[in-house]
Amino acid sequence: MSLYTIMPEEYIFPTDEKQYVNQKVIEMNGVSMMVEKSEDQYRIIRLLSTDPEHYLSEEYCPGTMIALSQDMIRA
């Protein structure tokens, strides 16, 4: 069986689900991304977009802290 995905193997076949408890998939300004809750903000973990322009934008760089409202989270 072949599985073609942009998600890492550890996320599809997790061994320890506790590490993913604070992670959510959101869409911000039309860009899908995975974020992790960190105190009162979210940190971008990875982009899930297929548009190469999104990867060139400093606004969506992994590690960037963003403030989100609850209506932006699509989990």
Side-chain angles (χ1 to χ4, degrees):
M1 177 176 88
S2 296
L3 182 62
Y4 297 98
T5 179
I6 60 173
M7 303 303 286
E9 179 182 345
E10 297 83 25
Y11 192 74
I12 297 170
F13 306 109
T15 55
D16 183 17
E17 293 186 21
K18 293 178 185 174
Q19 73 185 59
Y20 300 109
V21 171
N22 293 330
Q23 293 183 359
K24 303 215 181 290
V25 174
I26 64 161
E27 189 167 316
M28 186 173 86
N29 301 328
V31 180
S32 291
M33 63 185 75
M34 182 176 290
V35 296
E36 181 176 45
K37 181 127 175 90
S38 174
E39 297 179 16
D40 60 340
Q41 293 184 328
Y42 287 86
R43 182 174 58 92
I44 298 174
I45 302 293
R46 71 177 47 90
L47 294 182
L48 305 175
S49 174
T50 57
D51 186 350
E53 289 293 320
H54 295 156
Y55 290 87
L56 297 174
S57 173
E58 290 183 21
E59 181 180 1
Y60 308 120
C61 182
T64 302
M65 300 300 282
I66 53 176
L68 294 178
S69 60
Q70 283 298 102
D71 58 330
M72 294 175 76
I73 299 174
R74 131 184 108 135

